[in-house]
Amino acid sequence: EQGAYEKAIKYLKRLKKEADGRQNQLQALSGLMIANHRLAYYKTSAKRAKQLLDLDYLSDAKQNLARYYLAKSYFQQKQYAEALPLLEKVYKQNKGEKGAEALYLKAAVQYKQQQYKNAQQTIYKLRDEFTNYNYWVARGFVLLGDVFLKLDNAFQAKATLQSVADNYEAGRVTVSIYPVANRPCPPVLRAKGQGAGAGGDQYHQIL
């Protein structure tokens, strides 16, 4: 897959340089933005997203897509102050999966900024407004467990993780959530044979 994206980038760079017409330029920049992001070239992906947003003929849908990738690129580069307003825009303009992901990332930014109460409220909003997107709701509740720990509420942290174990076992949620988050699987989930990795972090203190 990486090789395919690398080839795509070479083709799209050539298209951007040689092709005439707005549509070809739009296709080239959009493709470069996405392919670089998939390869974790976040700085380059952000550059292409900003180039798209500078176009005066960009449709609302393409503007929204560019903000989505720009926000995620900022997040991955730990540029949280830049990511936060973009995530808010993406959330407000998307009531599908991108909106759910944006709201989760907003909560993650708030957590990293030690705004634990704000992160808690954002996760509740994610739960209430995106009930059809279990993957992001589940990730939100795992993050909520961390929030409760920071708020010195180990009992509620345990109950929250138990809720994830009880309610989010279907599909890609529990089988992929911890590898995606790059973290150990809490024992309350690992006991059910889900998740990946070995325990050894703060969850052992409460479970």
Side-chain angles (χ1 to χ4, degrees):
E1 184 174 332
Q2 180 173 349
Y5 282 121
E6 295 284 5
K7 289 180 180 178
I9 286 173
K10 291 180 180 179
Y11 165 75
L12 291 164
K13 282 182 176 179
R14 189 166 63 250
L15 176 65
K16 181 180 180 297
K17 183 178 180 180
E18 299 174 358
D20 294 325
R22 291 180 172 184
Q23 193 59 39
N24 286 331
Q25 288 295 313
L26 187 60
Q27 178 185 346
L29 284 173
S30 298
L32 286 167
M33 174 183 69
I34 294 169
N36 278 287
H37 195 276
R38 297 284 170 81
L39 292 172
Y41 302 154
Y42 300 119
K43 186 175 181 178
T44 304
S45 180
K47 175 184 175 182
R48 298 306 187 185
K50 286 186 280 189
Q51 288 175 336
L52 275 170
L53 290 168
D54 284 341
L55 298 176
D56 57 9
Y57 54 84
L58 201 62
S59 68
D60 290 344
K62 287 293 186 180
Q63 286 182 26
N64 194 23
L65 185 67
R67 288 192 193 102
Y68 169 76
Y69 278 101
L70 182 56
K72 295 213 302 177
S73 294
Y74 280 148
F75 181 87
Q76 293 293 343
Q77 295 177 91
K78 301 183 180 179
Q79 295 177 251
Y80 301 128
E82 291 83 356
L84 201 55
L86 288 166
L87 290 168
E88 183 68 17
K89 283 186 178 180
V90 173
Y91 150 66
K92 287 181 177 179
Q93 295 171 355
N94 289 272
K95 295 308 174 186
E97 186 167 8
K98 284 184 174 63
E101 182 181 1
L103 208 52
Y104 167 79
L105 291 175
K106 178 182 176 180
V109 168
Q110 291 168 328
Y111 176 84
K112 291 174 183 296
Q113 293 177 334
Q114 300 182 7
Q115 299 175 20
Y116 302 123
K117 287 290 187 178
N118 289 341
Q120 181 180 358
Q121 293 306 311
T122 300
I123 293 165
Y124 289 153
K125 185 184 291 187
L126 172 62
R127 174 200 63 191
D128 294 341
E129 296 186 18
F130 293 94
T131 55
N132 292 330
Y133 297 94
N134 286 348
Y135 176 73
W136 294 109
V137 174
R139 287 194 67 173
F141 269 72
V142 171
L143 178 60
L144 185 59
D146 287 338
V147 169
F148 282 129
L149 286 176
K150 293 295 186 181
L151 295 173
D152 295 322
N153 192 340
F155 176 82
Q156 194 62 50
K158 178 179 179 179
T160 299
L161 293 175
Q162 186 63 58
S163 172
V164 176
D166 291 342
N167 295 298
Y168 298 100
E169 293 187 63
R172 65 189 179 121
V173 176
T174 53
V175 298
S176 66
I177 187 168
Y178 291 99
V180 167
N182 192 27
R183 61 188 297 171
C185 177
V188 68
L189 292 186
R190 196 174 66 250
K192 288 179 171 287
Q194 303 291 337
D201 64 359
Q202 57 192 343
Y203 293 102
H204 279 300
Q205 300 171 18
I206 64 171
L207 296 174

